[in-house]
Amino acid sequence: DAGVTQSPTHLIKTRGQQVTLRCSPKSGHDTVSWYQQALGQGPQFIFQYYEEEERQRGNFPDRFSGHQFPNYSSELNVNALLLGDSALYLCASSLDRDFLYNEQFFGPGTRLTVL
Amino acid sequence: QKEVEQNSGPLSVPEGAIASLNCTYSDRVSQSFFWYRQYSGKSPELIMSIYSNGDKEDGRFTAQLNKASQYVSLLIRDSQPSDSATYLCAVNNSGDDKIIFGKGTRLHILP
């Protein structure tokens, strides 16, 4: 049973650049959520995608955008990178019909460093 | 602002003892409660979910929920060095997509 996968594992970018992170959900899951985790903090919700649409968004600027494909995989795009965007970016998958419980399973994450 | 509060630790517990991790949350309509374990440099791993008041046991882990007190805890029996990690408490409201996480408690099991 394939778990959540993310790519790349690590990325180094410079301020002002753009980055795209990718996620494939756990087999059988149809919903993807993205989180940002700064060092020493808990994950912070960025947004969630279901049926190829952004369903809910956390307190993140429009520089953060996403997409979900028909196969349920997802991308997170960040434009005009700032030093403060350096963090571990986590993708979590879940099953929409299980919304009452909303168990989310995380991928290994992408470590983004902005110089 | 919905909040989830945890003691950051570190919490040091001798091997074989019971580790007790605590969490409080601010939103009374919260419905689902989760404990994630996160090893240094790794992603969070879901170890327990609880939805009703009372205790839920899974192996060496017991989650306890008290909605009236807005309090959820995790007990780890027979603590092992491999239990040393950061434990994240997370809360979700029914129909809400996002999960709100606490900052985590660092647990250190002393051999």
Side-chain angles (χ1 to χ4, degrees), chain B residues 38-86:
Chain B
Q38 186 171 27
Y39 293 113
S40 181
K42 302 296 185 182
S43 64
E45 173 192 8
L46 180 64
I47 55 173
M48 288 289 287
S49 306
I50 187 167
Y51 311 104
S52 304
N53 278 328
D55 295 358
K56 179 182 177 182
E57 185 175 320
D58 184 1
R60 295 188 297 112
F61 298 98
T62 299
Q64 299 175 317
L65 175 61
N66 184 327
K67 290 186 178 181
S69 300
Q70 296 176 238
Y71 177 92
V72 59
S73 65
L74 179 70
L75 301 178
I76 306 174
R77 290 181 299 281
D78 187 24
S79 296
Q80 302 297 311
S82 60
D83 295 326
S84 296
T86 295

Side-chain angles (χ1 to χ4, degrees), chain A residues 26-113:
Chain A
K26 180 180 170 68
S27 179
H29 283 182
D30 56 9
T31 304
V32 172
S33 303
W34 287 93
Y35 292 81
Q36 179 195 66
Q37 187 176 24
L39 205 59
Q41 303 294 315
Q44 298 291 314
F45 177 80
I46 302 175
F47 41 53
Q48 185 180 82
Y49 276 85
Y50 171 69
E51 290 190 337
E52 302 179 48
E53 291 191 359
E54 182 182 296
R55 185 157 66 174
Q56 188 173 5
R57 188 178 186 92
N59 189 25
F60 279 81
D62 292 345
R63 298 187 297 109
F64 289 77
S65 63
H67 188 77
Q68 186 180 34
F69 300 93
N71 67 352
Y72 309 120
S73 67
S74 177
E75 289 182 349
L76 165 66
N77 301 293
V78 187
N79 295 322
L81 284 167
L82 304 173
L83 295 179
D85 294 331
S86 295
L88 180 66
Y89 287 85
L90 295 162
C91 168
S93 78
S94 55
L95 189 58
D96 178 68
R97 65 178 175 83
D98 200 27
F99 73 95
L100 287 176
Y101 303 105
N102 201 13
E103 284 189 343
Q104 297 187 5
F105 298 88
F106 285 92
T110 294
R111 174 72 62 186
L112 173 64
T113 301

